Amino acid sequence: MTIILTLQANADAGRLRGELQRLGLWAQPLSNPAGQPAAFALGQHSSHVPSAALAALPGVAHVLASAAGHPLLDALRGQTVRVGPTLRIGAGAPPVLAAGPCSAESADQVLATAVAVKQAGGSLLRGGAYKPRTSPYAFAGAGRDALGWLRDAADRTGLALVTECLAESDAARVAEVADLVQIGSRNMQNFALLRAVGATGKPALLKRGAAATLSEWRLAAEHLLASGCPGVIFCERGVRGVDSETRNVLDLGAVALLAGVDALPVWVDPSHAAGRRDLIAPLARAGLAVGAHGLLIETHPDAATAQSDGAQALPFQDLFALTADLPFGA
Ligand code: PEP
Ligand code: MN
């Protein structure tokens, strides 16, 4: 059993830690993004103290317990994640569209795409400034310049911005411009990166590792939350399969489970699941049909010249056709 004690605002954390030690409990302090102690996690091998006794200790606000090891995540069931000034994502809120290029390539490309995303009913602009690439010689993103293009285009069109953070050293810079910080599939279990992104205080979009179990995925979300992240949206983007005709296998059962059983916010990314533009529309519809709270879709003004993932980029007209009869919230 993993137990977390959240602290009252005026709690004396040092005194509480002393009390916990006296009871034979090994307590790990968790800080909020401002660096203040916000909670204590009790070690698995601590002695057993009944919840009611823990709740009665001076300074304790709540006792959260989880046999699966993710009490902070469990506490968010049924709640929405707040993104930017107005968006709420998750159970009870209408599904949202996040769309944009795989890579932000120029200010013009990003702005033209943001205008199209807005026209398609989107709420968020996506685009990579820092790209994880399988080959070290492939385009790795335009970096800081791209962050500026993305923020500017999002502001000019009234969209929120989701963009990937690839390295711990970039976390503060990415979080400064992003409303939602993407953790890429390859980094789902990069725990140092999860800690750095969590500590920025921005909500996170956590993509599923290509061979990650649901339990590993949930625990990765717990890492973010334990570091101060205010909310996590899961993003199913397909897992490794046996066939190469689609890039990955879109695990719709996982989406139905997270959305319908766990009551946690989850999006579907049909672009990286399919790897080909002719399958984006049916997979997007399937994702919404099983309960996804949003779609992450790659679109490009001229897919033939895209620096990355051109084969799966939707032309704007196809994005408009797809979204025309889908129920997106603004
Ligand atoms: C992306 O969103 O462009 C991306 C790199 O996705 P993933 O991490 O799912 O491969
Ligand atoms: Mn991509």
Side-chain angles (χ1 to χ4, degrees):
M1 187 65 72
T2 303
I3 296 175
I4 289 188
L5 309 179
T6 61
L7 302 192
Q8 292 167 353
N10 59 352
D12 181 340
R15 178 171 165 216
L16 177 57
R17 195 174 196 181
E19 293 277 343
L20 294 169
Q21 272 165 356
R22 202 175 49 75
L23 291 168
L25 299 169
W26 183 83
Q28 179 193 343
L30 307 178
S31 301
N32 62 21
Q36 272 110 35
F40 283 108
L42 303 188
Q44 304 269 0
H45 302 292
S46 293
S47 42
H48 180 73
V49 177
S51 281
L54 293 172
L57 291 171
V60 171
H62 299 285
V63 180
L64 307 175
S66 165
H70 38 70
L72 295 176
L73 183 65
D74 292 351
L76 296 182
R77 286 167 179 250
Q79 295 188 26
T80 51
V81 173
R82 214 193 175 104
V83 174
T86 56
L87 277 179
R88 296 220 166 241
I89 290 159
V96 295
L97 170 67
C102 179
S103 301
E105 296 161 4
S106 70
D108 288 349
Q109 173 238 19
V110 171
L111 183 58
T113 308
V115 169
V117 171
K118 185 74 181 179
Q119 195 181 326
S123 302
L124 300 100
L125 174 66
R126 67 141 288 152
Y130 301 97
K131 296 302 303 176
R133 302 307 301 276
T134 303
S135 162
Y137 311 117
F139 177 68
R144 281 178 203 229
D145 288 349
L147 290 179
W149 305 331
L150 287 162
R151 186 66 258 173
D152 184 55
D155 287 344
R156 286 168 71 169
T157 50
L159 295 168
L161 175 65
V162 53
T163 191
E164 178 165 352
C165 181
L166 199 56
E168 287 162 68
S169 50
D170 297 330
R173 184 179 310 132
V174 172
E176 204 178 294
V177 302
D179 298 295
L180 180 65
V181 179
Q182 179 171 323
I183 304 287
S185 180
R186 292 155 187 82
N187 275 319
M188 189 201 85
Q189 285 187 308
N190 180 341
F191 300 119
L193 180 65
L194 297 178
R195 268 197 300 279
V197 169
T200 67
K202 281 288 169 82
L205 181 69
L206 181 62
K207 294 194 121 192
R208 183 182 184 178
T213 64
L214 289 185
S215 167
E216 288 166 338
W217 198 8
R218 293 189 193 96
L219 284 163
E222 186 78 6
H223 272 270
L224 284 161
L225 297 169
S227 312
C229 187
V232 178
I233 300 167
F234 292 87
C235 183
E236 165 63 37
R237 43 76 77 202
V239 290
R240 270 291 151 82
V242 294
D243 194 86
S244 59
E245 289 189 42
T246 54
R247 186 172 175 182
N248 289 293
V249 177
L250 183 62
D251 185 355
L252 291 171
V255 178
L257 204 162
L258 285 172
V261 180
D262 289 2
L264 291 167
V266 56
W267 286 3
V268 159
D269 170 353
S271 306
H272 292 87
R276 41 190 285 177
R277 72 176 62 87
D278 56 353
L279 299 183
I280 306 296
L283 294 185
R285 291 179 199 285
L288 293 179
V290 297
H293 303 107
L295 297 174
L296 184 72
I297 294 181
E298 288 186 343
T299 184
H300 195 288
D302 180 15
T305 64
Q307 295 271 18
S308 60
D309 285 350
Q312 67 196 35
L314 278 188
F316 296 160
Q317 289 310 320
D318 293 9
L319 185 70
F320 301 149
L322 166 63
T323 55
D325 58 345
L326 292 179
F328 290 121

